[in-house]
Amino acid sequence: MFTSAILGVGVSLTVPLVTRAIIDGPVTRREIDLLLPLALLALGLSISEVILVWVRRWAQSRAVSDLEATLRHDLYVRLQSLPMEFHTRWQSGQLLSRVTVDLSTIRRFMGFGLLFLVINILQLVVVTILLLRLYWPLGVVVLVAAVPIILLSLRFEKKYLAISRRVQDQQGDLATAIEESALGFRVIKAFGRREHVKAQFDDSAVKLYGTSIEKVRLASRFWTFLGVIPNLTLVIVLLLGALAVGRNTITLGTLVAFITLMLSLIWPVAALGTILAMAQEAMTSADRISEILDTQSSLKDGTDELTKPRGHLRLENVSFRFTPDSPDVLHDINLDLPPGTTLALVGPTGSGKTTLTALLPRLYDVTGGRITIDGHDVRDLTMKSLRNAVASAFDDPTLFSMSVRENITLGRPDATEADIQQALQIAQATFANELPWGLDTRVGEQGMSLSGGQRQRLALARAVLARPAVLVLDDTLSALDVHTEALVEEALRNVLAETTGIVVAHRASTVMLADQVALLQNGTITHVGTHAELLATVPAYRLLLAAEEEEVHA
Ligand SMILES: Nc1ncnc2c1ncn2[C@@H]1O[C@H](COP(=O)(O)OP(=O)(O)O)[C@@H](O)[C@H]1O
Ligand SMILES: [Mg+2]
């Protein structure tokens, strides 16, 4: 790519020199026999210039596309392997803009800026030397004229960069406004906030418009200035050049070659500012991307394999906090669940139930104590065998934009049709068979809309189908009506008899599924016992379940 580019510059600079030979030889001294070879030489040079440009473009677009694809791939792999903690810290909009906008900024610079930065500087140096050698007094004039252009370009670059940055930020704000209003359209409509949201959007749009206009104005002022200086220089060079030709100091051909070469300088000089601005932008983008690439995953994969997990789950003095300087969300948690037992986890909102369940599949790592499965610390297990042993379903489950079948076989791609039907049966999710295209119906954001309860049931089917040794259900039944919930619970009873289960529960009926109940309060387990025992002896437990029951019956 660089070879063809440099050769191209060399060829394009030779053409004016051939022109000089033609003017001085065949034209001025009437040496007609030289005309044909010189003309052929010029023609050959022009053709090879075209070919070289083509080769450069081809090599360049291949290299740049390769680079972009590789970067995007690495970034995506890294995003997938980063811990939960990273994703809670970063806004999804920020990630999105880095994967799309920043990548294309880098691509634009690599595909255009970097090459021309090198070519232009090379061309500047070579042409300046050529000009000085052709006729040095005129060369000095051109050098002097170049000074204000370079100064102006550098100043322009600074201002332009600041404005572009503002435009980018405001584009981001606008995109966020659109994203939020698209995701929150129900709330906006329900609260009659359409006018308000529209006004907010208009505000951002008008601001962006203003900045964009400012940017255009700056650019047009710059380009106008840039037009004036070379033209003035041209006038001076023509005047002095004509005098020099008159006094036979230089030939006419030299003057023509000089002017042609001088004009070829305008673009490299003028573009320098823009290219430097691009380089800066690309560097900022590279910084923003490396923030993601350089994030060290705090979750280290273990080496132990669990070939046939039995599901003996123990939590020993477990404590957890989200950041090193925040208080413990969980502390002094001790649990021992032999294979096949089910524990109901009951506790007020914010007591840490979801956080506790997230520790089992290592969405987060404990910050104190340890969790073991069949005697292995979960941190010593390979992620693969850990995630094989533990399956979870959450209260607000995500369905991906793919078919129902693909969504529920996520944890076990080799499941048979019978397995799938059985899982759907247990989760009371056989409605999926009646969807327009059955199990091949696309659901998720780009597919059919399902109700919260339907999504929960598919998520439950997904977890059950994985046949885990440890099954974690975080409020998975919360959106079901009492009748459906009873049916699910009846079916779950068989599943839970074979696996170790932790079920976050709010209702007495769900609690009944469990052998034991643990009451979680302020981040620690204060009581463990059967439902009847806790009901009889712990007023807080009674209050918690009674409040929930009232809610259900209200
Ligand atoms: N990603 C997070 N970063 C910091 N704090 C969090 C995060 N998620 C939850 N918390 C806090 O941890 C506590 C327990 O939350 P959670 O486990 O969701 O409670 P529950 O599921 O019992 O309602 C709450 O005080 C909550 O504010
Ligand atoms: Mg929760």
Side-chain angles (χ1 to χ4, degrees):
M1 178 172 93
F2 277 106
T3 317
S4 59
I6 289 167
L7 283 177
V9 171
V11 169
S12 70
L13 293 185
T14 322
V15 173
L17 298 180
V18 175
T19 315
R20 172 171 83 153
I22 294 181
I23 292 179
D24 287 347
V27 177
T28 313
R29 293 197 293 271
R30 310 253 173 262
E31 297 164 350
I32 300 300
D33 46 336
L34 274 179
L35 184 60
L36 190 63
L38 283 175
L40 282 179
L41 180 60
L43 184 68
L45 284 173
S46 304
I47 290 175
S48 54
E49 192 183 350
V50 171
I51 293 175
L52 282 169
V53 167
W54 180 80
V55 170
R56 169 176 57 74
R57 288 233 172 105
W58 176 78
Q60 191 179 358
S61 39
R62 279 215 31 182
V64 171
S65 301
D66 280 357
L67 178 88
E68 191 188 8
T70 311
L71 257 180
R72 181 163 287 148
H73 173 259
D74 289 355
L75 207 54
Y76 190 76
V77 168
R78 176 41 64 103
L79 274 181
Q80 289 294 325
S81 71
L82 284 171
M84 279 287 285
E85 173 258 323
F86 175 87
H87 291 283
T88 43
R89 206 154 34 83
W90 283 60
Q91 297 169 345
S92 57
Q94 281 289 343
L95 293 181
L96 204 63
S97 76
R98 278 161 215 235
V99 176
T100 55
V101 180
D102 286 319
L103 262 187
S104 46
T105 307
I106 291 180
R107 187 203 52 208
R108 243 181 308 146
F109 176 67
M110 298 304 276
F112 173 86
L114 183 61
L115 184 71
F116 279 100
L117 190 64
V118 176
I119 294 185
N120 285 1
I121 288 176
L122 185 79
Q123 195 168 354
L124 276 179
V125 173
V126 175
V127 170
T128 310
I129 293 172
L130 271 178
L131 286 183
L132 285 171
R133 288 199 53 179
L134 278 176
Y135 186 49
W136 70 264
L138 280 187
V140 171
V141 170
V142 172
L143 267 187
V144 169
V147 172
I149 296 188
I150 289 177
L151 289 181
L152 201 71
S153 299
L154 290 179
R155 255 193 52 196
F156 168 75
E157 182 237 320
K158 273 210 187 69
K159 282 195 189 166
Y160 192 78
L161 193 67
I163 275 197
S164 316
R165 182 71 41 82
R166 266 196 1 248
V167 168
Q168 271 186 355
D169 289 348
Q170 289 172 357
Q171 275 169 341
D173 292 346
L174 199 64
T176 310
I178 295 174
E179 190 193 338
E180 277 188 2
S181 58
L183 290 177
F185 74 97
R186 271 211 308 207
V187 180
I188 294 168
K189 275 195 199 295
F191 285 85
R193 300 298 278 170
R194 264 170 48 196
E195 288 306 317
H196 174 74
V197 171
K198 204 179 121 215
Q200 262 184 346
F201 179 82
D202 271 355
D203 260 7
S204 308
V206 167
K207 225 192 256 161
L208 176 61
Y209 170 81
T211 320
S212 304
I213 291 290
E214 210 180 313
K215 183 172 161 182
V216 173
R217 228 181 250 143
L218 179 72
S220 56
R221 266 213 311 271
F222 171 69
W223 288 108
T224 314
F225 250 118
L226 217 59
V228 172
I229 296 174
N231 282 336
L232 277 179
T233 319
L234 185 61
V235 172
I236 297 173
V237 166
L238 272 177
L239 272 177
L240 295 180
L243 281 178
V245 172
R247 277 195 265 114
N248 276 335
T249 324
I250 52 171
T251 62
L252 183 61
T254 305
L255 182 62
V256 172
F258 189 95
I259 289 172
T260 319
L261 281 174
M262 185 189 99
L263 292 179
S264 80
L265 269 186
I266 295 180
W267 146 250
V269 172
L272 216 52
T274 319
I275 291 175
L276 285 178
M278 273 176 87
Q280 290 246 3
E281 268 179 328
M283 272 192 272
T284 323
S285 288
D287 270 353
R288 280 159 58 91
I289 287 180
S290 39
E291 276 173 31
I292 299 177
L293 287 178
D294 291 348
T295 304
Q296 286 301 324
S297 178
S298 53
L299 294 181
K300 296 269 175 308
D301 207 353
T303 49
D304 293 7
E305 297 276 353
L306 273 183
T307 34
K308 263 201 165 322
R310 292 179 304 119
H312 189 156
L313 182 69
R314 280 175 68 105
L315 282 75
E316 303 169 6
N317 287 321
V318 166
S319 62
F320 176 76
R321 63 185 108 155
F322 280 99
T323 53
D325 26 63
S326 65
D328 280 352
V329 173
L330 296 170
H331 60 93
D332 303 305
I333 306 250
N334 286 290
L335 284 173
D336 187 352
L337 302 183
T341 49
T342 301
L343 177 85
L345 200 57
V346 178
T349 312
S351 56
K353 304 182 296 294
T354 298
T355 311
L356 179 59
T357 55
L359 295 178
L360 304 182
R362 288 188 73 197
L363 298 185
Y364 300 99
D365 266 339
V366 297
T367 45
R370 62 181 202 142
I371 299 178
T372 62
I373 294 178
D374 297 345
H376 296 266
D377 190 319
V378 287
R379 285 167 294 188
D380 295 336
L381 292 172
T382 61
M383 281 295 174
K384 196 160 172 278
S385 68
L386 174 63
R387 304 265 158 93
N388 224 354
V390 182
S392 330
F394 310 103
D395 55 342
D396 184 19
T398 303
L399 293 182
F400 295 95
S401 291
M402 45 194 190
S403 72
V404 174
R405 189 190 309 278
E406 287 166 308
N407 261 297
I408 57 184
T409 54
L410 219 53
R412 228 183 100 207
D414 59 341
T416 65
E417 196 62 32
D419 294 335
I420 294 177
Q421 285 307 327
Q422 193 193 6
L424 289 176
Q425 196 69 47
I426 292 169
Q428 294 297 308
T430 44
F431 70 88
N433 292 317
E434 265 87 67
L435 292 174
W437 290 276
L439 296 187
D440 295 319
T441 311
R442 226 163 120 97
V443 292
E445 182 139 333
Q446 288 168 35
M448 249 190 79
S449 297
L450 299 177
S451 75
Q454 287 175 318
R455 286 191 295 136
Q456 283 193 343
R457 279 179 277 166
L458 287 183
L460 180 61
R462 168 153 79 199
V464 169
L465 185 63
R467 293 232 183 104
V470 178
L471 181 64
V472 181
L473 303 180
D474 180 10
D475 237 353
T476 318
L477 311 180
S478 62
L480 303 189
D481 59 87
V482 179
H483 173 67
T484 315
E485 190 191 347
L487 293 176
V488 174
E489 279 161 1
E490 199 43 52
L492 259 184
R493 209 173 282 279
N494 297 327
V495 177
L496 285 172
E498 287 165 17
T499 68
T500 310
I502 291 195
V503 182
V504 173
H506 279 144
R507 299 178 190 164
S509 57
T510 322
V511 171
M512 309 284 214
L513 286 173
D515 310 300
Q516 276 196 320
V517 186
L519 179 60
L520 191 63
Q521 285 178 306
N522 297 322
T524 197
I525 292 174
T526 52
H527 299 84
V528 182
T530 63
H531 176 58
E533 283 167 16
L534 292 191
L535 214 49
T537 58
V538 187
Y541 181 72
R542 209 158 42 224
L543 270 176
L544 214 52
L545 282 200
E548 299 292 342
E549 288 313 293
E550 261 165 46
E551 220 170 80
V552 171
H553 295 302

